[in-house]
Amino acid sequence: MLLLYVISRFTKSHFGAYKQLLTVFAAYDRVLIVGTTFGVVCTYENRIVTGIFCSCFTVPFALMIIHFLYRYWSVLLEVII
């Protein structure tokens, strides 16, 4: 919650897509925290839900890859981004 507040309150508007990327990352991590608090029980009937729940943990890694690629491209190709 604190990170979402800091992003929305103290970042400048010229950050644009980078600000949105950080907001999505922080919000999705918040969803994962709430999801893991309640947990998912692995039973035969619940395997699809458990599979979806476990696959949701790969999204922050994908967002971090996009985050670092964006930072790399913004330094390397300063004119384009």
Side-chain angles (χ1 to χ4, degrees):
M1 288 303 272
L2 179 63
L3 181 58
L4 287 171
Y5 173 74
V6 169
I7 290 170
S8 66
R9 178 81 170 101
F10 296 108
T11 55
K12 307 276 190 269
S13 62
H14 69 273
F15 281 107
Y18 187 70
K19 180 179 177 179
Q20 292 173 354
L21 179 66
L22 289 177
T23 303
V24 168
F25 182 74
Y28 193 79
D29 279 346
R30 181 78 176 154
V31 168
L32 281 180
I33 289 170
V34 170
T36 54
T37 302
F38 296 110
V40 176
V41 179
C42 183
T43 62
Y44 180 73
E45 297 85 20
N46 235 1
R47 286 188 183 209
I48 293 174
V49 174
T50 304
I52 291 170
F53 180 74
C54 292
S55 66
C56 287
F57 281 97
T58 61
V59 173
F61 296 115
L63 287 174
M64 286 304 292
I65 291 169
I66 293 169
H67 167 79
F68 286 117
L69 284 174
Y70 183 86
R71 290 180 69 178
Y72 174 73
W73 288 331
S74 67
V75 170
L76 185 67
L77 307 170
E78 194 173 305
V79 178
I80 295 174
I81 295 180

